[in-house]
Amino acid sequence: GAVVSQHPSRVICKSGTSVKIECRSLDFQATTMFWYRQFPKKSLMLMATSNEGSKATYEQGVEKDKFLINHASLTLSTLTVTSAHPEDSSFYICSASTGAGNEQFFGPGTRLTVL
Amino acid sequence: ILNVEQSPQSLHVQEGDSTNFTCSFPSSNFYALHWYRWETAKSPEALFVMTLNGDEKKKGRISATLNTKEGYSYLYIKGSQPEDSATYLCAPEAGKSTFGDGTTLTVKP
């Protein structure tokens, strides 16, 4: 099956710093990549949808200047949490898809802790 | 944002029991419904994608049905095994996918 990697798997940073998370589709070209955040005891909350070569589409309530998304190629998307605060601590997970109606292939997620 | 409800929230069954759970979603603007299995410490794994009203999909002991007119899907597991223990997520797609909170299944040996 299709494999999506995510790096790093775990990161601890100080408040005010920026953290970059990478999402790669290893064996297929992903037309679309999605970034999700999981709050405790809740399901996956879609943050943004990114298509290769174009600006990401952010969900309501997600600050685009806070969560910078770059989808520079068909196999790589990055999420940068800028000026991180403790409330940004969460589990972030990406997925990749070859198009609408197709299944999403998920990465293993990144646990971010902001001190 | 779609209002997606999954029930029950959690379920404990004995090995060998058959079980089922529900995903409810708005029937308007429906495009597809996805079911995923999310085991602890692993990535969510796609189980089924269904698009047509009345669709039924099966993979081994797991099957799913879809009713787009009334806005629900059932996931069935026949003869549950401990390795079926996971959180099962549904995600109706209407322009984008919205995930339900999942049903967490625990199968006791």
Side-chain angles (χ1 to χ4, degrees), chain A:
Chain A
V3 179
V4 174
S5 70
Q6 200 171 326
H7 177 80
S9 59
R10 189 178 295 268
V11 58
I12 301 173
C13 69
K14 292 182 179 180
S15 185
T17 61
S18 294
V19 175
K20 180 186 283 189
I21 303 170
E22 291 188 350
C23 178
R24 292 181 186 272
S25 57
L26 298 185
D27 51 3
F28 69 103
Q29 292 186 326
T31 308
T32 308
M33 286 186 170
F34 304 89
W35 286 96
Y36 295 88
R37 179 174 179 176
Q38 186 188 27
F39 292 96
K41 297 186 178 181
K42 299 294 285 183
S43 187
L44 302 172
M45 183 197 79
L46 180 64
M47 298 175 66
T49 303
S50 80
N51 294 292
E52 184 264 340
S54 61
K55 290 183 178 180
T57 301
Y58 289 81
E59 294 303 303
Q60 190 174 11
V62 178
E63 300 176 57
K64 61 181 181 181
D65 294 331
K66 171 76 174 175
F67 300 98
L68 299 178
I69 291 173
N70 184 280
H71 193 161
S73 75
L74 285 170
T75 58
L76 173 65
S77 177
T78 59
L79 168 68
T80 302
V81 183
T82 62
S83 187
H85 288 277
E87 57 265 30
D88 298 326
S89 299
S90 194
F91 185 72
Y92 294 87
I93 190 167
C94 71
S95 71
S97 171
T98 53
N102 296 332
E103 62 189 299
Q104 296 179 37
F105 300 97
F106 283 85
T110 298
R111 173 69 61 186
L112 170 64
T113 302
V114 184
L115 303 176

Side-chain angles (χ1 to χ4, degrees), chain B residues 32-45:
Chain B
L33 184 104
H34 303 257
W35 278 102
Y36 292 87
R37 173 170 59 199
W38 195 358
E39 296 179 64
T40 302
K42 293 185 178 180
S43 306
E45 173 194 1

Side-chain angles (χ1 to χ4, degrees), chain B residues 1-56:
Chain B
I1 297 177
L2 297 179
N3 183 22
V4 183
E5 294 185 3
Q6 287 189 250
S7 62
Q9 184 176 8
S10 64
L11 195 55
H12 295 256
V13 301
Q14 289 293 134
E15 182 176 356
D17 287 350
S18 294
T19 187
N20 67 85
F21 17 96
T22 306
C23 171
S24 300
F25 53 89
S27 55
S28 59
N29 298 321
F30 175 85
Y31 185 80
L33 184 104
H34 303 257
W35 278 102
Y36 292 87
R37 173 170 59 199
W38 195 358
E39 296 179 64
T40 302
K42 293 185 178 180
S43 306
E45 173 194 1
L47 288 173
F48 304 114
V49 178
M50 295 184 288
T51 56
L52 299 176
N53 183 46
D55 258 356
E56 291 188 31

Side-chain angles (χ1 to χ4, degrees), chain B residues 34-98:
Chain B
H34 303 257
W35 278 102
Y36 292 87
R37 173 170 59 199
W38 195 358
E39 296 179 64
T40 302
K42 293 185 178 180
S43 306
E45 173 194 1
L47 288 173
F48 304 114
V49 178
M50 295 184 288
T51 56
L52 299 176
N53 183 46
D55 258 356
E56 291 188 31
K57 293 283 180 80
K58 186 176 181 181
K59 184 184 289 187
R61 294 179 291 98
I62 304 176
S63 60
T65 61
L66 177 66
N67 184 319
T68 61
K69 293 184 178 180
E70 296 182 37
Y72 64 85
S73 175
Y74 293 135
L75 188 80
Y76 302 90
I77 302 178
K78 185 178 179 181
S80 302
Q81 299 297 307
E83 57 265 31
D84 296 329
S85 297
T87 296
Y88 291 83
L89 301 171
C90 75
E93 184 180 346
K96 60 191 176 189
S97 290
T98 301

